């Protein structure tokens, strides 16, 4: 039932129906259920659309827990996959519509983006405790250093390359640094 | 004259006039000039708005040329300042309007964003040649590693902190890497 409703909304969005015209009533009609059925599961349009996005995106990453490095690779790989998914013509349009609605965007942010960010900070905190991350580094800055290069390509640059293996490359290169080895030794 | 026209457009935008309603005719009327005067200087609305944005933003950075590190700090400091400027309520609104117009946004991109990116890649290319940057690193990746953490704060996160000194911190930390020194030696 829930699945049918979420797919119904996505179908309407794919057909180019503007978010603003997607009332709960119209969603109910499309999915062939009563409005009450929808309101039993979702408190309103914002919550419903957040779940539509979630269903369209790759699932949240499972952290291997073997090391900070491996957990960071899993997190960045998940961002890479989301980036690839969001480029499909249909989802791109849906994202653009979501962003143009401040209420829906902020619900998505609170439900998806913020928890993901908190997870990354936890991984870094454990890494710092276990000696995998420099002790003198601010965790927010470290987080932006790992996540920033991936987000720039996945979100800001529609034509940015997102090849397989990019997550590993970014994590290892940020850990290693960009200074030539010889000049570190000098 | 040019200044008066650019300021006239900014004034209209500040007053909340939607970009779509800002015809060359209306701009001419506001600035007290003829339409021909505007068309002598700009080929159309897109070009005019790119110059409006340019006039509102901090000037392009002057690269000191003393080292790759110093040039990168200047480039990132310029992004930080743009980020701060774009947060003013007025400009924020103007940026949002620009982004919702694909033609104007792509003109802005071609005139401002792309040259800035090319400049960064030049700096990195020289740095690699001069031994300031690891020889085995892909320049596009290196560019994203320096620029990404600043852009995440300046563009993606409206509440991201942009303190003084952030440009230096990012450049030096990306060069140095996030691995603890002891574990590098082991």
């Amino acid at each position: 039932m829930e699945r049918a409703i979420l797919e119904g909304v996505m179908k309407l969005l794919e057909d180019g129906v503007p978010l603003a015209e997607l009332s709960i009533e119209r969603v109910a009609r499309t999915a062939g259920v009563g409005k009450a059925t929808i309101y039993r599961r979702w408190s309103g349009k914002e919550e419903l659309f957040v779940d539509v996005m979630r269903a369209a995106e790759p699932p949240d990453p499972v952290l291997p827990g073997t090391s900070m490095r491996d957990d960071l690779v899993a997190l960045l790989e998940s961002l890479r996959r989301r980036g690839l998914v969001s480029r499909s013509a249909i989802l791109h349009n849906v994202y653009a519509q979501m962003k143009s609605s401040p209420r829906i965007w902020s619900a998505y942010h609170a439900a998806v983006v913020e928890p993901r960010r908190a997870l990354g900070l936890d991984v870094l905190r454990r890494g710092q405790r276990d000696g995998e991350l420099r002790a003198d580094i601010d965790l927010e800055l470290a987080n932006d250093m790992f996540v920033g290069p991936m987000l720039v390509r996945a979100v800001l640059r529609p034509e940015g390359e997102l090849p397989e293996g990019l997550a590993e490359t970014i994590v290892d290169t940020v850990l290693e640094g960009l200074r030539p080895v010889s000049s570190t030794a000098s």
Side-chain angles (χ1 to χ4, degrees), chain A residues 29-90:
Chain A
R29 206 165 54 231
T30 304
V33 301
K35 279 170 66 174
T37 306
I38 293 179
Y39 280 118
R40 260 198 299 280
R41 173 67 186 77
W42 293 280
S43 65
K45 207 167 142 171
E46 286 76 24
E47 286 70 23
L48 173 58
F49 284 118
V50 168
D51 279 355
V52 170
M53 293 308 293
R54 262 212 253 254
E57 289 182 338
D60 281 329
V62 178
L63 302 185
T66 40
S67 66
M68 175 190 81
R69 185 262 180 198
D70 294 348
D71 285 353
L72 288 171
V73 169
L75 286 170
L76 262 65
E77 174 62 9
S78 156
L79 289 179
R80 188 182 76 91
R81 285 172 189 270
R82 276 168 209 268
L84 288 173
V85 164
S86 71
R87 286 174 186 191
S88 70
I90 289 157

Side-chain angles (χ1 to χ4, degrees), chain A residues 31 33 71 75 79 84 89 97 109 134 142 145 149 152 154 158-159 175:
Chain A
V33 301
D71 285 353
L75 286 170
L79 289 179
L84 288 173
Q97 286 206 47
H109 219 268
R134 273 167 54 177
M145 284 176 59
V152 164
E159 80 297 354
L175 284 171

Side-chain angles (χ1 to χ4, degrees), chain A residues 162-182:
Chain A
L162 291 172
E164 258 188 70
L166 182 61
E168 286 89 339
T169 304
I170 289 176
V171 170
D172 290 335
T173 315
V174 170
L175 284 171
E176 196 61 36
L178 289 183
R179 192 166 285 161
V181 177
S182 58

Side-chain angles (χ1 to χ4, degrees), chain A residues 42 62 95 146 161:
Chain A
W42 293 280
V62 178
Y95 272 106
F146 286 112
E161 284 184 48

